[in-house]
Amino acid sequence: MSTPTFKTKIYSDGADLEDMKAINQNAFVTGFTTNPSLLKKAGVTDYLAFAKKAVATFPDESISFEVFSNDYDTMLKEAKLLHELGPHVYVKVPIRTTAGEPTTDLIHDLTAAGVQVNITAIATAEQVKESVAAIVPGTPSIVSIFVGRVADTGVDPMPFVKKSVELTAERDDVELLWASTREIYNITQAEALGVDIVTVPPTILDKLVAKYGQTGDEVTMNTVKGFEADIKATGLKILD
């Protein structure tokens, strides 16, 4: 099977350095994103040590690290510290604090100072509009829309994605990122709609490498052969 190629950038979502190294062997993966939940899952106990090692391991790749605090002054200090780790670092700033307060003033001040931001946890077109307005022109930034999480609520997220593409299209310094990817087909959807980046967890990247481009007949044969292998492994039978 040939190596897949995409117009949309593919980033890997995770916080396990060994997994990141293995994933980086795929030429189509050109960046990384992290978040506190992924850090917890990976067992990271020293955030800055992990971040520094990640930047040293992937010095030429885009990589996003998130601030932890909720008040402006502390978030600003954290963001500047993360920004100093490397030229390809993007600082992730949630569009809202845990108290529900907008972070647009922080986004404005950071981008005015040349700090590349990745605005995260966005789930509405209005939040996209707020984000784009807050980004000072000239500083490369990412707007991350959580498409999968919107879909998890039972709502069709495609109108949200289309509107987000429209709202970011005229800003060359702003890239739109499809986050919370749930399946390989999301990459195809994102590319068709003109989304700049898709961030994909390692489990889906594994499927992408193994299954992307299979025909229907191949899916059928792989399925029945998988069933057969499991039948043999369990020793189950119908007839004595």
Side-chain angles (χ1 to χ4, degrees):
M1 190 178 297
S2 60
T3 303
T5 57
F6 305 96
K7 290 182 292 183
T8 296
K9 296 178 185 177
I10 308 295
Y11 287 2
S12 177
D13 199 14
D16 184 299
L17 274 174
E18 293 308 312
D19 283 348
M20 293 167 73
K21 289 176 186 177
I23 288 164
N24 196 236
Q25 299 303 307
N26 297 301
F28 58 83
V29 176
T30 59
F32 297 94
T33 56
T34 66
N35 66 47
S37 296
L38 293 170
L39 295 170
K40 177 185 176 183
K41 183 178 180 181
V44 174
T45 56
D46 187 327
Y47 185 30
L48 280 180
F50 161 76
K52 290 175 181 177
K53 191 169 183 179
V55 171
T57 305
F58 311 104
D60 301 319
E61 308 281 21
S62 171
I63 186 164
S64 296
F65 299 110
E66 190 159 341
V67 296
F68 283 176
S69 300
N70 279 280
D71 65 280
Y72 174 94
D73 290 338
T74 309
M75 293 170 85
L76 183 66
K77 291 177 183 177
E78 291 177 342
K80 289 184 175 180
L81 182 60
L82 293 171
H83 167 69
E84 291 170 359
L85 294 177
H88 302 296
V89 169
Y90 283 73
V91 178
K92 293 184 77 173
V93 177
I95 189 62
R96 296 284 186 271
T97 67
T98 55
E101 297 296 325
T103 57
T104 45
D105 286 347
L106 176 65
I107 293 163
H108 175 275
D109 293 348
L110 286 173
T111 53
V115 175
Q116 300 175 153
V117 297
N118 178 342
I119 308 166
T120 187
I122 294 173
T124 71
E126 187 58 37
Q127 291 170 357
V128 174
K129 189 180 298 184
E130 289 177 31
S131 301
V132 173
I135 297 168
V136 173
T139 298
S141 299
I142 296 171
V143 171
S144 291
I145 54 175
F146 278 53
V147 184
R149 294 195 181 218
V150 171
D152 286 345
T153 68
V155 173
D156 178 6
M158 291 304 102
F160 168 49
V161 177
K162 292 176 183 177
K163 185 63 177 178
S164 299
V165 171
E166 292 176 11
L167 290 169
T168 55
E170 294 184 5
R171 290 286 298 271
D172 291 338
D173 52 353
V174 175
E175 293 184 289
L176 182 67
L177 183 150
W178 177 311
S180 62
T181 301
R182 299 293 193 247
E183 56 190 3
I184 293 172
Y185 183 58
N186 292 158
I187 301 171
T188 303
Q189 291 174 302
E191 192 164 59
L193 292 172
V195 177
D196 300 298
I197 307 166
V198 181
T199 187
V200 184
T203 52
I204 295 179
L205 284 172
D206 288 343
K207 288 184 181 181
L208 178 64
V209 174
K211 299 183 178 183
Y212 186 81
Q214 283 186 0
T215 66
D217 286 337
E218 287 172 329
V219 171
T220 295
M221 293 309 301
N222 288 336
T223 301
V224 296
K225 288 178 179 179
F227 289 163
E228 181 184 45
D230 290 338
I231 291 167
K232 290 179 179 179
T234 60
L236 292 171
K237 57 184 178 180
I238 297 173
L239 301 177
D240 292 329

